[in-house]
Amino acid sequence: MNAVLQPSACFHCGLPVPSGSSWHVTIDDVPRAMCCPGCEAVAQTIVDIGQSAYYRDRDEYAVNAADATMVPPELRLYSNDDAQFARDASSCEATLSVEGIRCAACVWLIERQLTRLPGVQAASLNVATERLYVRWSRAQCEPGDILQAVRQVGYTAYPYDAVRHGERLQKASKTLGRQLFVAGLSMMQVMMYVAPAYLAAEDGTLDDNMASLMRWASLLLTLPAICYSAMPFFQGAWASLRARTLGMDVPVALGILAAFFGSVVATFTGRGEVYYDSATMFIFLLLCSRYFELQARRKAASALERLQHALPASASLMAGFPDNRATTLVPAGSLAVGDIILVKPGEAIAADSVIIEGTSALDLSLLTGESAAQRRKLGERVPGGAINASAALILRVLKPARESTLSDLLKLIERAGSGKPQIAQWADKVAAWFVLGLLLFAVAVFAFWSWHDPSQAWPVAIAVLVVSCPCALSLATPTALAAATDSLLRRGVLIVQPHVLETLHRATHIVFDKTGTLTLGRPVLKQIEGLDGMTEDDCLQVAAALEAGSAHPLAQAILAAAGETPRTHAEQLQEVQGQGLEGLVDGVRYRLGNAAFVAAIAGPPLGDTAVGMQGMTPLYLGTQGRWLTRFLLSDALRPEARDVVAYFHRHGKQVVLLSGDQEALTQSVAAELGIATACGECLPDEKLDFVQQLQATGAVVAMVGDGINDAAVLSGADVSFAMGSGAALAQAHADTVLLSSQLVSVLDTAKTAARSMRIIRENLGWATLYNLTAIPAAALGFLNPWLSGVGMAASSAVVIANALRLRKA
């Protein structure tokens, strides 16, 4: 039976809807009023997961603040059986978006609350992206328990949705902007009354009645700042106390309240000092700092946000192609394999597809970090998430949108930021104890000044509470790491695990795979050896004519060396699997392939067929009774391989080459790059054993690999990199994915890691030095309350500004 709904009641919880409110959710095609953003968020989530029937079938409103300890029934709609939470048979995981994040204090509070919940195995909130990663036991916990636990400390969480998350961030930014404006207005108005009072008090021209009037006026002008602008600090402090913890908002809130209520008492009694100017000023300054921090977090996570919004929501389906070229706009998620879609210039490609009509340039910058557009023509594959830059394309869908290249990257991104490196955990622990020590110190300072000079006890205690900056300690690491991660992602490096930069900086050994890592992973023609009179160019053109229709890597190397289009063509082509090709070129029969295959037509080999190969792959060309030439092909080194290896050598790292290829070829590549330790013909388990033996001696190992056979060693290394063009399994086991497929990205990451660790140490050093200097100065009475607010705001600003330097390449 449906609940009896009052016109002015919140459709979700039944509480009165404030006049002029704009919160509403469309349920069953009808806009429904909500009393607050919390109800709006929960109701929208219920609609998003397809559970609108909850509102049709309920017989009472959802639980409201009158009974906040109960678990709201709508949270019980989430179940461990939902596919979005699946991980394995015993556990579940989810990435949630959290509303109400104000600063690093919120992160610490939410993580602490969830780790106390039975069954929760891991909880980590990324302050830059405001996404919460949680893993829990199926047997002990349900998703509703987690959402309720977050709600109990004053926040709202829901499964992550990029569009909704972006809208919420905009709304939070606007709210903070309004609070900042009100605080600034109050501060200026209060200063207009306080400044004349200070000046008149010095020469004795201010009588008691006028002084009292100015105090009462200042009180009225301070109220908007206290009741509205300071709410983020009060909410954060209250949430901490409810959770029986001491968050970083607690000393700030105590300082604000002490200054305000001390002033109120002085106003009513007419005795003592008032601090309305100090209270409004440090509310304004702290909000400035928080607003700066918010914008910094947005900038630090901008590349991730761009990726998450890159997949189009719709696509132009050509259901009647080729007879009918009419298009229908359909949701991208509804595309199936084989569908034909039209992509106009400037539009994003909704799913991995193949071009069946048209030629265009594609912008792959979001996927690879490469800014230059790349040409794609008929028959070539295009990844979902690429932007069509020039001409219209007609594509056949190869994979559903949910399995596109960009979707796979987004799944990796969901893992990004799901933990914290050791240095960040250390900072959080220090900040937590710092708050407790600060409060005890403030009490001791107040007691001392009450005995030494009672008139100074209150302002000195306020100054001590306000001047401290535990936020700077907690912001020092996550802001720097977020900025560095954003910078790398814009250059085609996706950091999946949080420890990458810290561990890479400490690495003692850099281990490389060969094929597809130090080399391009495709053969190139290195040398042509003429055997019987025919010119090298003519032999190359004959070989290219024979290979023109082949997709074999060796054939592609021959074609690349001969030019895009062979000058002649072959007829009566026959391919003998694993041996070579035979055909007529200009009426002459040729064979191209291995020595035994060509010998059947050309006669006995001329000398030793292995001479001069040096680990390269030979390809012979012959005709009736004649050996014409030998092509020597090998996998070419990446152009940047020497610079990358040389960089690690210069910085004292030991470089190792492990390969499954022949020993001779492996040693040849190692000698060319100056790598002292190289092992060829390594099986996957032998690579893993080699790395584990290094680790057993205390080495910190970084592994760079490509291919399925590298998956085990990538998982076993302390930090690992997978080439973006490599096998998906290798990427899934790597800590970092090189989307650009360029080895130079490893060098970029190493340099960024070094800069990040330096800036993090600078930030922690600054935060520590500031607190060690400012707190004693405040305790000794050298800093008044408003100047303490300036110091705290400046401390956070310095830390954030320093961290944002990492966004520059």
Side-chain angles (χ1 to χ4, degrees):
M1 178 179 178
N2 288 338
V4 178
L5 304 178
Q6 302 299 325
S8 61
C10 173
F11 190 76
H12 180 70
C13 73
L15 290 177
V17 176
S19 59
S21 68
S22 59
W23 301 299
H24 68 276
V25 175
T26 301
I27 301 172
D28 292 335
D29 300 324
V30 179
R32 302 291 188 180
M34 302 288 159
C35 67
C36 66
C39 286
E40 181 186 50
V42 174
Q44 186 64 56
T45 302
I46 292 172
V47 173
D48 291 344
I49 65 174
Q51 298 289 342
S52 298
Y54 162 75
Y55 291 105
R56 295 193 295 270
D57 300 336
R58 65 181 178 176
D59 54 11
E60 60 181 6
Y61 285 111
V63 175
N64 55 43
D67 193 2
T69 59
M70 295 178 60
V71 178
E74 65 271 14
L75 297 185
R76 292 301 183 189
L77 294 174
Y78 294 104
S79 167
N80 285 334
D81 297 328
D82 292 345
Q84 61 180 326
F85 302 129
R87 185 173 187 267
D88 53 44
S90 62
S91 63
C92 295
E93 64 181 0
T95 299
L96 308 175
S97 184
V98 182
E99 290 185 353
I101 298 296
R102 293 174 293 276
C103 70
C106 304
V107 176
W108 177 69
L109 178 61
I110 292 172
E111 290 177 349
R112 185 179 178 89
Q113 173 76 355
L114 288 179
T115 53
R116 293 174 172 178
L117 192 66
V120 172
Q121 300 166 347
S124 181
L125 178 58
N126 188 317
V127 69
T129 60
E130 300 184 11
R131 295 204 311 269
L132 171 65
Y133 169 81
V134 190
R135 187 175 72 249
W136 66 92
S137 167
R138 285 179 177 269
Q140 296 178 275
C141 194
E142 288 283 341
D145 299 330
I146 293 166
L147 299 177
Q148 175 64 11
V150 175
R151 183 170 171 161
Q152 284 175 344
V153 289
Y155 304 87
T156 301
Y158 52 85
Y160 179 81
D161 175 78
V163 174
R164 183 176 173 189
H165 185 70
E167 293 174 349
R168 186 189 61 75
L169 292 181
Q170 289 184 354
K171 183 183 293 186
S173 183
K174 290 180 180 178
T175 299
L176 184 56
R178 288 193 294 267
Q179 291 171 329
L180 181 59
F181 173 78
V182 170
L185 191 62
S186 292
M187 179 190 69
M188 289 187 293
Q189 296 298 319
V190 169
M191 290 301 294
M192 289 176 62
Y193 284 93
V194 172
Y198 283 149
L199 295 175
E202 292 180 0
D203 56 17
T205 59
L206 184 68
D207 59 43
D208 292 342
N209 291 333
M210 184 58 68
S212 178
L213 178 61
M214 288 188 172
R215 289 187 175 192
W216 281 102
S218 297
L219 170 59
L220 294 176
L221 292 170
T222 303
L223 284 175
I226 296 294
C227 298
Y228 179 66
S229 297
M231 287 308 295
F233 308 111
F234 297 151
Q235 290 168 346
W238 178 242
S240 297
L241 295 175
R242 285 179 60 190
R244 299 180 181 178
T245 59
L246 292 174
M248 296 168 216
D249 279 328
V250 172
V252 173
L254 286 175
I256 293 172
L257 291 175
F260 177 70
F261 284 110
S263 301
V264 170
V265 171
T267 300
F268 274 91
T269 61
R271 294 190 302 273
E273 296 294 329
V274 294
Y275 310 103
Y276 295 122
D277 54 335
S278 298
T280 54
M281 184 173 289
F282 59 66
I283 290 173
F284 175 74
L285 292 171
L286 295 177
L287 285 176
C288 283
S289 174
R290 189 154 292 186
Y291 189 82
F292 184 31
E293 177 191 338
L294 179 67
Q295 298 307 313
R297 296 205 314 254
R298 302 289 185 270
K299 289 180 181 179
S302 59
L304 290 177
E305 297 300 326
R306 285 173 57 223
L307 268 178
Q308 288 156 345
H309 289 83
L311 273 179
S314 60
S316 298
L317 177 67
M318 304 179 74
F321 185 86
D323 300 328
N324 185 349
R325 289 178 171 257
T327 61
T328 304
L329 197 65
V330 300
S334 67
L335 292 177
V337 175
D339 282 349
I340 307 299
I341 59 175
L342 171 68
V343 182
K344 300 175 183 178
E347 293 182 345
I349 297 171
D352 287 8
S353 309
V354 63
I355 300 174
I356 61 174
E357 186 176 303
T359 299
S360 183
L362 299 185
D363 179 359
L364 302 175
S365 57
L366 282 177
L367 301 172
T368 67
E370 175 58 53
S371 58
Q374 300 181 21
R375 300 293 298 180
R376 291 290 189 273
K377 58 183 183 295
L378 181 68
E380 292 189 321
R381 295 181 59 158
V382 293
I387 308 295
N388 184 11
S390 57
L393 292 174
I394 297 179
L395 311 173
R396 177 182 292 111
V397 175
L398 299 177
K399 293 181 180 180
R402 64 180 179 275
E403 298 175 9
S404 69
T405 300
L406 183 56
S407 293
D408 289 341
L409 289 181
L410 291 177
K411 291 172 186 174
L412 289 175
I413 287 174
E414 292 300 329
R415 291 164 52 189
S418 62
K420 292 183 180 180
Q422 292 181 355
I423 193 169
Q425 295 173 1
W426 174 85
D428 284 350
K429 290 179 181 178
V430 169
W433 284 104
F434 178 87
V435 173
L436 176 60
L438 174 69
L439 294 177
L440 294 176
F441 182 69
V443 171
V445 167
F446 180 79
F448 169 79
W449 280 97
S450 296
W451 166 77
H452 178 69
D453 184 358
S455 65
Q456 292 296 312
W458 202 246
V460 168
I462 294 171
V464 169
L465 289 172
V466 174
V467 77
S468 64
C469 198
C471 284
L473 283 172
S474 287
L475 287 171
T477 300
T479 308
L481 292 179
T485 299
D486 174 79
S487 173
L488 287 170
L489 184 56
R490 286 186 281 114
R491 286 178 280 160
V493 180
L494 174 59
I495 303 292
V496 179
Q497 296 298 335
H499 65 85
V500 169
L501 297 177
E502 182 182 7
T503 307
L504 180 60
H505 185 62
R506 294 188 297 108
T508 58
H509 291 68
I510 313 296
V511 179
F512 290 97
D513 175 46
K514 183 185 75 65
T515 305
T517 304
L518 290 174
T519 66
L520 293 171
R522 59 179 185 271
V524 295
L525 181 60
K526 287 284 192 178
Q527 187 177 346
I528 302 177
E529 296 180 351
L531 300 176
D532 190 5
M534 194 170 176
T535 67
E536 291 182 359
D537 184 63
D538 288 341
C539 289
L540 185 59
Q541 290 300 320
V542 170
L546 293 171
E547 297 280 25
S550 175
H552 193 279
L554 294 179
Q556 295 301 308
I558 294 292
L559 291 169
E564 193 165 329
T565 306
R567 293 196 296 266
T568 184
H569 68 280
E571 300 174 341
Q572 300 181 18
L573 272 174
Q574 295 180 353
E575 181 177 359
V576 179
Q577 189 69 31
Q579 297 189 55
L581 293 164
E582 179 180 329
L584 293 177
V585 179
D586 296 332
V588 179
R589 183 169 300 280
Y590 296 93
R591 277 194 173 188
L592 179 68
N594 62 37
F597 177 66
V598 175
I601 186 175
L606 299 177
D608 187 356
T609 58
V611 173
M613 281 189 279
Q614 299 175 344
M616 293 187 282
T617 301
L619 202 61
Y620 295 90
L621 177 67
T623 186
Q624 191 65 43
R626 297 170 60 196
W627 289 81
L628 299 176
T629 192
R630 177 170 68 178
F631 303 100
L632 295 177
L633 303 97
S634 70
D635 191 0
L637 285 174
R638 291 181 180 270
E640 66 271 27
R642 288 183 179 84
D643 290 339
V644 172
V645 172
Y647 173 84
F648 287 118
H649 278 150
R650 287 197 307 271
H651 287 78
K653 314 288 186 183
Q654 295 190 41
V655 180
V656 179
L657 174 59
L658 298 181
S659 176
D661 287 344
Q662 298 175 359
E663 180 69 24
L665 185 55
T666 301
Q667 294 297 336
S668 174
V669 170
E672 191 170 354
L673 294 175
I675 299 176
T677 305
C679 298
E681 302 178 9
C682 291
L683 297 175
D685 58 336
E686 292 173 335
K687 289 184 178 182
L688 179 60
D689 287 342
F690 187 97
V691 168
Q692 289 176 338
Q693 289 174 11
L694 288 177
Q695 291 170 327
T697 63
V700 178
V701 181
M703 175 71 197
V704 187
D706 177 271
I708 292 177
N709 62 334
D710 291 325
V713 69
L714 288 173
S715 295
D718 295 287
V719 60
S720 56
F721 297 78
M723 308 300 288
S725 57
L729 182 59
Q731 296 177 23
H733 287 78
D735 301 321
T736 310
V737 179
L738 307 179
L739 305 177
S740 62
S741 298
Q742 296 179 359
L743 190 63
V744 72
S745 296
V746 179
L747 189 150
D748 286 343
T749 308
K751 290 181 177 178
T752 302
R755 290 184 64 213
S756 299
M757 293 304 108
R758 184 177 69 251
I759 285 179
I760 286 172
R761 287 193 294 268
E762 289 173 0
N763 282 349
L764 291 174
W766 160 254
T768 303
L769 178 63
Y770 165 79
N771 282 297
L772 289 177
T773 304
I775 294 176
L780 294 173
F782 297 138
L783 297 178
N784 58 31
W786 73 265
L787 193 57
S788 298
V790 172
M792 179 180 180
S795 179
S796 293
V798 167
V799 166
I800 296 169
N802 193 36
L804 287 181
R805 292 165 49 209
L806 287 167
R807 295 188 72 241
K808 298 180 181 179

